[in-house]
């Protein structure tokens, strides 16, 4: 309670900076533009679920890389051997083993051929682990005298990693060409790229532009033989058959006469003579010379323009083209010609990219989410503030000032870090509102205890802050561990929730202790009260002596039965798994002419033959959620299904508000990562509590928390609530909240073990629970006041998350009060009776 100018300055500086960094996020654009230049202008970045936009997770097609590399290697081997004294050969390709097998027409040239092809060895290095590079090729001989060249696993991995890095740059150019603002393009792992484009609602166009390889090549058409004849008679050496744009096929030379890398410009234009959109292109100097040379030597022959292994057009060269420019014609519309020009200007992707996860949110749905989040947040804040004033009077005002500053600092930190605020992130802030007062309640209840023990007001205030601090740190750090695990193991909106939760925990440590103590100190210096009148309202009266341990056997029996029922339901009934875990497509549609008819929608979709289709209401009467199983044929088939649904319902005034498609590969990964996240969180918290307490406390805390997790998971199974990625976030947050309560009770038990050394352990545990139950009930009630508005007004997107959190808080309070104590006894917690030995006496009778 000592006055400190430094502390006053720190609080003032943090508060001022917090306001300056938080305010721009709440100002209109025109006001923010007029904001003085020396003041912060950063704003909180809204996630796609709040402002609308498209999210794509792309994965490099490794099989395509292998196929293309084997084709290139096959040409290189053939040309190398042909140049080596004309060594004749027959080459076969096995993509399954990634191997070329070379049979020589003259076996006596085996050594010369082996030496020639070994010169094709290539080393690749794209990662820190590949020091000096890795060999891409492995050479060998078969028992019947043939040579083999195999692509190594390490080489394919390194090439894939290198191609991802190149792909990111090409994708960035393509997205920039669309004129979008603040796209996010990030690498994920060794073979994936995450693309998020806020405000761009046409996910199909975005996907076509981003994932299309757009590799443009020019090939001479093989003369004198059609593709059909070649298929019947056998392909001539060095040729290939590719499909054409008109539905037929063409026989082309394998060798690329000219590549698209020589293009310097491509623009959509219009051919007046044929009255059709075309794409005009222009080569660089080197490409122009090559183009002129090719067209000059092959007048009268056909020249194919190939885009992504499909012949767009194959005209006859009428005369040499020396200007270095030309045009691509086909069945283009104005829009597709413009998109192709965008692709060609940005350059070809070095590898094919498959869409393994796709999420699209309409801007109107994002605005609704913001409205839901703000409504829930404001109502929760008003309820918590009002309750704190009702329960603690002036002291509640102190807590509310700290709480308001806490929220300001969260938004300021989000702005400074450039973090993304998602709808679950808003839920994290609202949850922080409920948890932030917990530290103040701990401090205030400690003050009341110290005053009842006979201490003066100033002693009670000092003791309240000092003795509650350790418990506050322990309870906050256990929640922080869960938030950190969520961030590193989660993705997208779940990470947004973890960020806001972690920031709220850190800012709460500052505001609830430093800011509150400053207010109390200032008040005390002015008023100098003779007694502290802290609490005005409580759920449980002081001095309770409820014998919790006497009913423990019945409680444990009930918990065992409930846990077995939860596990049994999970095993036999299973879960209503979201597409995060099973794959497929979820589409939210809205009826423009009033309440939607779920039965009619189901009837319309049953005729589309899309497999299992689920149709259910989604929040408002106008919204419907359609879930479609993953289609055979991958993401392209899923997109066809989405278009079929959209077209089938368009005539009935239904519009798509959001789509979410997850492949089976990603869904299994998410399920596995979610399980690992829970295990890691429990292990980390076990280690922390073991370090801070004794091992019995750590094992009891983890056992109690596991009990709460089982009960909450049972809720999902028994009620049929959708279990998705945000449900994992709910379970992990529950881990932190449950341990928060357990740590508070355990801390009081540990304190009483030192104070009451001869008290029987069951009585001591009863005493500790009764001493903390006032704080527990008040804290849990404030958390409920924050969660209930989320359940009612938070929107359907996070409904299962908020219901699970509310149920988990009830279970957490129950287990911390009643279940944790008996577990401690069963784990062998004992008083340290050896510390009660009589003190030794000196010779003169004085104690030492």
């Amino acid at each position: 309670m000592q006055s400190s100018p430094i502390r006053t300055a720190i609080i003032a500086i943090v508060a001022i900076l917090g306001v300056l960094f938080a305010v721009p996020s709440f100002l209109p654009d025109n006001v923010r533009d007029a904001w003085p230049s020396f003041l912060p202008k950063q704003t909180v970045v809204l996630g796609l679920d709040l402002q609308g936009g498209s999210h794509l997770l792309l994965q490099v097609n490794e099989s395509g890389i292998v196929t293309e590399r084997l084709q290139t290697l096959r040409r290189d081997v053939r040309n190398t051997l042909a140049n080596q004294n004309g060594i004749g050969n027959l080459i076969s390709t096995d993509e399954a083993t990634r191997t070329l097998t070379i049979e020589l027409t003259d076996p006596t040239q085996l050594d010369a051929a082996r030496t020639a092809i070994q010169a094709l060895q290539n080393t690749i290095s794209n990662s820190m682990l590949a020091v000096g590079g890795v060999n891409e090729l492995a050479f060998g001989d078969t028992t019947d005298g043939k040579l083999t060249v195999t692509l190594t696993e390490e080489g394919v991995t390194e090439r894939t990693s290198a191609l991802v890095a190149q792909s990111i740059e090409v994708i960035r150019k393509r997205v920039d060409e669309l004129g979008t603002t603040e796209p996010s393009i990030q690498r994920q792992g060794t073979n994936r790229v995450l693309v998020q484009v806020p405000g761009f609602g046409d996910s199909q166009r975005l996907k076509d532009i981003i994932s299309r390889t757009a590799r443009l090549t020019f090939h001479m058409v093989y003369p004198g033989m059609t593709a059909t004849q070649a298929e019947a008679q056998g392909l001539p050496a060095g040729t290939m058959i590719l499909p054409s744009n008109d539905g037929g096929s063409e026989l082309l030379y394998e060798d690329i006469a000219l590549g698209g890398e020589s293009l310097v410009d491509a623009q959509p234009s219009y051919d007046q003579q044929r009255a059709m959109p075309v794409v005009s292109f222009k080569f660089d100097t080197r490409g122009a010379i090559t183009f002129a040379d090719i067209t000059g030597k092959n007048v009268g022959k056909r020249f194919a323009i190939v885009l992504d292994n499909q012949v767009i057009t194959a005209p006859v060269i009428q005369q040499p083209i020396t200007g270095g420019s030309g045009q691509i014609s086909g069945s283009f519309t104005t829009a597709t010609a413009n998109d192709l020009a965008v692709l060609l200007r940005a350059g070809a992707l070095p590898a094919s990219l498959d869409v393994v996860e796709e999420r699209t949110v309409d801007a109107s749905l994002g605005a609704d989410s913001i409205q839901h989040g703000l409504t829930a947040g404001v109502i929760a804040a008003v309820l918590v503030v009002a309750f704190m004033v009702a329960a603690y009077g002036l002291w509640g005002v102190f807590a509310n000032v700290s709480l308001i500053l806490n929220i300001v600092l969260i938004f300021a930190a989000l702005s400074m870090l450039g973090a993304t605020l998602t709808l679950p992130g808003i839920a994290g802030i609202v949850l922080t509102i409920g948890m932030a007062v917990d530290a103040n309640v701990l401090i205030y209840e400690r003050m009341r205890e110290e005053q009842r023990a006979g201490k003066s007001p100033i002693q009670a205030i000092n003791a309240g802050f000092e003795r509650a601090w350790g418990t506050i740190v322990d309870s906050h750090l256990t929640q922080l561990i869960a938030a950190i695990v969520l961030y590193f193991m989660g993705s997208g909106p779940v990470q947004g929730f973890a960020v806001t939760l972690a920031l709220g925990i850190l800012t709460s440590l500052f505001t609830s202790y430093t800011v509150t103590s400053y207010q109390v100190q200032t008040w005390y210096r002015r008023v100098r009260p003779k007694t502290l009148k802290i609490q005005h309202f409580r759920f449980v009266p002081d001095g309770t002596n409820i014998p919790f341990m006497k009913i423990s056997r019945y409680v444990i029996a009930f918990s065992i039965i409930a846990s077995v029922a939860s596990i049994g339901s999970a095993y036999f009934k299973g879960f209503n798994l979201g597409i995060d875990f099973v794959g497929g497509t979820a589409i939210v549609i809205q009826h423009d002419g009033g309440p939607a008819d779920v039965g009619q929608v189901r009837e319309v979709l049953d005729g589309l033959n899309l497999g299992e289709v689920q149709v259910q209401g989604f929040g408002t009467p106008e919204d419907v959620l359609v879930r479609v199983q993953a289609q055979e044929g991958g993401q392209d088939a899923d997109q066809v299904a989405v278009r079929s649904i959209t077209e089938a319902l368009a005539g009935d005034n239904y519009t798509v508000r959001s789509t979410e498609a997850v492949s089976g590969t990603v869904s299994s990964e998410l399920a596995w990562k979610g399980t690992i996240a829970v295990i890691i969180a429990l292990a980390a918290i076990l280690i922390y509590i073991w370090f801070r307490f004794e091992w019995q406390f750590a094992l009891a805390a983890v056992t109690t928390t596991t009990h709460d997790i089982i009960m909450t998971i049972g809720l999902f199974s028994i009620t049929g609530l959708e279990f998705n990625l945000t449900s994992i976030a709910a379970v992990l947050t529950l881990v932190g909240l449950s341990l928060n309560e357990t740590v508070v009770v355990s801390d009081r038990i540990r304190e009483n073990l030192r104070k009451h050394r001869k008290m029987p352990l069951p009585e001591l545990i009863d005493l500790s629970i009764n001493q903390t139950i006032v704080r527990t009930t008040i804290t849990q009630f404030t958390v409920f006041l924050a969660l209930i508005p989320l359940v009612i007004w938070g929107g359907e997107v996070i409904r299962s998350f908020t219901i699970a959190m509310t149920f988990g808080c009830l279970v957490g309070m129950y287990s911390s009060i009643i279940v944790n104590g008996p577990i401690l006894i069963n784990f062998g917690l004992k008083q340290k009776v050896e510390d009660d030995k009589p003190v030794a006496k000196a010779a003169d009778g004085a104690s030492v």
Side-chain angles (χ1 to χ4, degrees):
M1 297 306 296
Q2 295 295 322
S3 177
S4 171
I6 295 178
R7 183 174 64 168
T8 303
I10 290 174
I11 294 173
I13 291 172
V14 170
I16 293 171
L17 289 178
V19 171
L20 290 177
F21 276 97
V23 164
S25 297
F26 299 93
L27 295 177
D29 291 340
N30 57 341
V31 177
R32 190 167 56 248
D33 292 339
W35 199 249
S37 59
F38 60 87
L39 294 178
K41 288 188 177 181
Q42 302 99 302
T43 62
V44 173
V45 179
L46 297 180
L48 298 184
D49 56 351
L50 293 180
Q51 64 169 316
S54 298
H55 160 116
L56 297 175
L57 183 62
L58 307 164
Q59 179 172 292
V60 172
N61 188 321
E62 189 173 290
S63 62
I65 293 175
V66 171
T67 299
E68 183 174 339
R69 186 69 184 101
L70 286 175
Q71 290 176 349
T72 303
L73 187 61
R74 183 172 179 267
R75 289 196 297 268
D76 292 343
V77 169
R78 187 183 68 241
N79 293 336
T80 298
L81 294 181
N83 294 332
Q84 187 72 23
N85 297 324
I87 297 177
N89 61 87
L90 298 173
I91 304 175
S92 60
T93 304
D94 187 346
E95 293 188 9
T97 60
R98 303 174 178 177
T99 300
L100 294 180
T101 302
I102 304 143
E103 181 179 2
L104 302 178
T105 55
D106 183 0
T108 62
Q109 295 181 305
L110 183 65
D111 292 336
R114 183 186 298 110
T115 301
I117 64 174
Q118 285 179 349
L120 297 174
Q121 179 64 272
N122 184 31
T123 57
I124 307 175
S125 177
N126 186 63
S127 66
M128 297 294 292
L129 299 177
V131 178
V134 298
N135 288 332
E136 186 185 20
L137 307 176
F139 303 95
D141 293 11
T142 64
T143 55
D144 53 355
K146 299 176 183 177
L147 299 176
T148 61
V149 184
T150 304
L151 298 178
T152 64
E153 185 68 33
E154 298 82 4
V156 172
T157 300
E158 288 298 315
R159 181 173 289 276
T160 300
S161 182
L163 293 177
V164 168
Q166 297 172 33
S167 298
I168 289 176
E169 296 307 314
V170 175
I171 292 171
R172 194 179 307 279
K173 292 178 182 177
R174 292 182 180 181
V175 174
D176 289 344
E177 287 275 0
L178 296 176
T180 58
T181 58
E182 298 182 350
S184 173
I185 304 170
Q186 306 171 27
R187 180 178 191 143
Q188 283 203 342
T190 59
N191 63 343
R192 288 179 180 170
V193 180
L194 174 63
V195 181
Q196 292 182 318
V197 186
F200 195 88
D202 190 349
S203 66
Q204 183 59 43
R205 183 183 177 214
L206 180 67
K207 189 175 73 170
D208 289 343
I209 288 177
I210 288 179
S211 62
R212 193 170 177 183
T213 308
R215 183 176 291 109
L216 185 69
T217 54
F218 298 84
H219 300 255
M220 295 303 303
V221 177
Y222 191 83
M225 181 181 290
T226 66
T228 304
Q229 293 171 335
E231 288 176 341
Q233 302 174 16
L235 290 178
T239 63
M240 61 181 178
I241 295 176
L242 291 181
S244 60
N245 213 27
D246 58 6
S249 56
E250 295 284 356
L251 180 63
L252 311 178
Y253 283 102
E254 280 186 342
D255 290 338
I256 298 173
L258 183 61
E261 65 274 5
S262 296
L263 289 178
V264 292
D265 191 23
Q267 297 292 336
S269 58
Y270 196 80
D271 189 324
Q272 297 292 343
Q273 291 183 345
R274 290 183 288 179
M276 60 186 299
V278 295
V279 177
S280 300
F281 60 84
K282 185 177 181 180
F283 289 113
D284 58 18
T285 303
R286 180 180 177 184
I289 294 173
T290 304
F291 195 49
D293 183 59
I294 293 171
T295 55
K297 293 179 179 178
N298 294 281
V299 172
K301 298 179 181 179
R302 296 177 66 209
F303 190 46
I305 301 175
V306 178
L307 182 67
D308 291 342
N309 292 322
Q310 184 175 29
V311 179
I312 301 298
T313 183
V316 175
I317 301 174
Q318 302 293 342
Q319 59 186 9
I321 304 174
T322 58
S325 61
Q327 67 180 28
I328 303 172
S329 60
S331 55
F332 295 128
T333 64
T334 302
T336 57
N338 182 69
D339 286 349
L340 178 57
V342 167
L343 294 174
L344 296 181
R345 287 198 301 272
L349 284 171
S352 298
L353 297 177
D354 298 327
V355 179
V356 294
E357 183 180 281
E358 175 184 353
R359 304 178 196 270
T360 304
V361 178
D362 184 70
S364 63
L365 184 59
D368 288 349
S369 297
I370 293 177
Q371 186 61 45
H372 289 149
L374 289 178
T375 300
V378 169
I379 294 174
V382 170
L383 290 176
V384 171
V385 166
F387 174 73
M388 287 302 292
V389 173
Y392 289 101
L394 178 63
W395 298 79
V397 174
F398 295 155
N400 288 335
V401 171
S402 299
L403 174 62
I404 293 170
L405 180 59
N406 186 23
I407 297 172
V408 170
L409 293 180
I410 292 174
F411 278 99
L414 290 172
S415 299
M416 291 174 62
L417 297 174
T420 301
L421 181 64
T422 61
L423 185 57
I426 293 179
I429 294 175
V430 175
L431 185 59
T432 300
I433 293 173
M435 296 190 303
V437 299
D438 176 51
N440 290 121
V441 172
L442 276 170
I443 293 168
Y444 294 165
E445 292 304 316
R446 193 72 202 209
M447 288 180 187
R448 294 178 63 246
E449 287 184 35
E450 299 296 335
Q451 184 172 247
R452 289 199 308 270
K455 292 186 177 179
S456 66
I458 187 64
Q459 290 174 328
I461 292 173
N462 276 320
F465 280 100
E466 290 175 3
R467 296 192 176 183
W469 178 243
T471 306
I472 292 171
V473 170
D474 288 334
S475 62
H476 279 64
L477 284 182
T478 52
Q479 296 173 49
L480 185 61
I481 289 172
I484 291 172
V485 173
L486 262 180
Y487 180 79
F488 285 103
M489 300 296 292
S491 62
V494 174
Q495 283 186 321
F497 171 78
V499 168
T500 55
L501 183 63
L503 289 175
I505 291 168
L506 295 175
T507 55
S508 177
L509 281 172
F510 172 76
T511 57
S512 61
Y513 190 86
T514 305
V515 178
T516 302
S517 65
Y518 177 78
Q519 295 177 81
V520 173
Q521 169 202 329
T522 304
W523 168 80
Y524 183 82
R525 286 205 312 267
R526 293 179 180 178
V527 178
R528 296 285 180 178
K530 293 183 178 180
T531 59
L532 300 176
K533 189 176 182 181
I534 299 175
Q535 195 177 74
H536 295 258
F537 167 81
R538 64 185 65 89
F539 293 103
V540 179
D542 291 329
T544 57
N545 190 22
I546 303 173
F548 292 104
M549 291 303 101
K550 287 187 178 180
I551 62 172
S552 62
R553 66 180 63 184
Y554 306 107
V555 170
I556 294 297
F558 169 76
S559 291
I560 291 174
I561 293 172
S563 297
V564 170
S566 296
I567 294 172
S569 177
Y571 182 79
F572 292 105
K573 181 183 178 183
F575 298 93
N576 176 22
L577 295 175
I579 65 166
D580 292 326
F581 296 141
V582 296
T585 305
I587 310 168
V588 176
I589 58 177
Q590 185 177 66
H591 190 246
D592 299 330
D597 186 342
V598 174
Q600 179 196 14
V601 172
R602 188 178 291 113
E603 184 179 344
V604 170
L605 299 185
D606 283 344
L608 298 181
N609 298 321
L610 299 176
E612 183 181 352
V613 178
Q614 299 177 12
V615 183
Q616 63 191 65
F618 190 75
T620 67
E622 294 81 15
D623 290 334
V624 175
L625 173 64
V626 178
R627 294 172 58 182
V628 186
Q629 70 175 43
Q631 303 293 299
E632 294 183 6
Q635 285 290 308
D636 290 337
D638 288 337
Q639 278 301 313
V640 172
V642 172
R643 284 197 295 271
S644 299
I645 292 172
T646 304
E647 292 168 0
L649 296 174
D652 296 320
N653 295 323
Y654 285 96
T655 57
V656 175
R657 304 196 77 193
S658 72
T659 60
E660 183 177 4
V662 179
S663 71
T665 302
V666 172
S667 63
S668 61
E669 290 177 3
L670 291 174
W672 176 246
K673 286 176 68 175
T675 304
I676 294 299
V678 174
I679 295 173
I680 290 175
L682 285 175
I685 292 169
L686 171 67
I687 294 170
Y688 175 77
I689 297 180
W690 200 319
F691 174 77
R692 288 285 291 135
F693 296 82
E694 297 178 27
W695 66 268
Q696 291 96 338
F697 287 102
L699 291 179
V702 171
T703 303
T704 303
T705 305
T706 304
H707 160 271
D708 300 343
I709 293 173
I710 291 173
M711 298 282 275
T712 306
I713 289 177
L715 171 74
F716 281 103
S717 176
I718 293 170
T719 63
L721 279 173
E722 182 177 311
F723 193 81
N724 51 35
L725 199 56
T726 58
S727 304
I728 295 292
V731 170
L732 280 174
T733 310
L734 167 64
V735 169
L737 285 175
S738 174
L739 281 164
N740 184 12
E741 300 297 325
T742 304
V743 164
V744 171
V745 177
S746 298
D747 188 68
R748 184 55 62 92
I749 293 173
R750 183 178 62 172
E751 180 181 333
N752 285 331
L753 283 172
R754 293 192 294 264
K755 189 182 297 184
H756 306 285
R757 298 181 185 276
K758 295 184 179 180
M759 182 181 291
L761 191 57
E763 293 181 19
L764 186 142
I765 293 176
D766 277 342
L767 173 65
S768 302
I769 295 173
N770 280 289
Q771 287 175 337
T772 57
I773 195 169
V774 174
R775 169 261 167 205
T776 299
T777 53
I778 290 178
T779 296
Q780 286 299 320
F781 188 71
T782 56
V783 174
F784 287 138
L785 287 179
L787 285 173
I788 293 302
L790 281 174
V791 174
I792 300 174
W793 294 286
E796 195 67 28
V797 176
I798 57 173
R799 182 84 66 200
S800 62
F801 168 81
T802 52
I803 291 176
M805 286 296 307
T806 306
F807 174 81
C809 285
L810 277 172
V811 173
M813 181 173 65
Y814 154 79
S815 64
S816 299
I817 292 176
I818 304 180
V819 177
N820 186 57
I823 293 176
L824 275 173
I825 295 175
N826 291 327
F827 277 153
L829 181 66
K830 297 178 181 179
Q831 287 99 329
K832 296 183 179 179
V833 181
E834 63 273 12
D835 291 342
D836 292 333
K837 294 178 181 179
V839 293
K841 297 287 183 178
D844 59 359
S847 61
V848 294

